[in-house]
Amino acid sequence: LMAVFGAPQPLEAPGRCALRAAAEMVAMVEQFSQEQQALGRPAIRIGVGVASGDVVAGYTGTRQRATYTCIGDTVNVASRLETLTKEFAAELVVSQELLDRAGITLPDAPAHEVEIRGRQGRLAVRAVASLASLGAALTPKS
């Protein structure tokens, strides 16, 4: 599943919106998983990769079967970050760039420098193992 924030219409705080949606997705799957376990079924877990940057967005296909999609480095990075959730045993792996743009600090989330396949250099990321620290960071300060 790919979710895009800030396209086709701009958003005031796309990074915060993306993180809030990611947290809600993880929480809903966690609740569903608990319900399934109560019925004797296996647990379900998801991992979410969140990145920020430019994409090429638009419709592709034919008039009969058009699909809105996004492509570009940011899409690839988010996909690679999702894969890292397994390695870091984290619910979310978020690019530090997104956190910086959104003005969010996550001191409880371990920092990592990772190599992303198909990309030069290392990327700073945070591995969020608990939604509690993310929720506190997203709560507006009064």
Side-chain angles (χ1 to χ4, degrees):
L1 170 70
M2 174 177 61
V4 179
F5 296 83
Q9 298 296 320
L11 288 175
E12 186 175 318
R16 285 183 176 272
C17 291
L19 287 172
R20 196 168 289 117
E24 288 180 23
M25 286 171 38
V26 170
M28 292 177 90
V29 169
E30 192 172 289
Q31 179 182 350
F32 179 71
S33 180
Q34 290 172 359
E35 293 167 1
Q36 294 302 299
Q37 286 180 292
L39 297 171
R41 297 183 182 138
I44 299 168
R45 182 188 168 276
I46 63 168
V48 180
V50 187
S52 177
D54 293 332
V55 298
V56 176
Y59 286 94
T60 184
T62 66
R63 285 187 184 189
Q64 292 78 23
R65 192 172 173 102
T67 302
Y68 186 82
T69 193
C70 297
I71 59 171
D73 183 57
T74 303
V75 175
N76 296 334
V77 168
S79 176
R80 305 290 189 259
L81 297 184
E82 181 273 328
T83 301
L84 288 172
T85 61
K86 297 169 192 73
E87 182 179 324
F88 295 143
E91 294 174 330
L92 307 171
V93 175
V94 183
S95 73
Q96 186 64 50
E97 178 183 7
L98 181 142
L99 296 172
D100 293 344
R101 284 183 181 190
I104 296 171
T105 57
L106 296 175
D108 296 340
H112 301 276
E113 293 278 329
V114 298
E115 288 186 20
I116 301 292
R117 187 181 60 187
R119 213 168 191 255
Q120 298 238 341
R122 297 178 71 73
L123 181 69
V125 300
R126 293 275 181 169
V128 181
S130 164
L131 291 183
S133 62
L134 182 59
L138 291 173
T139 303
K141 313 288 188 267
S142 41

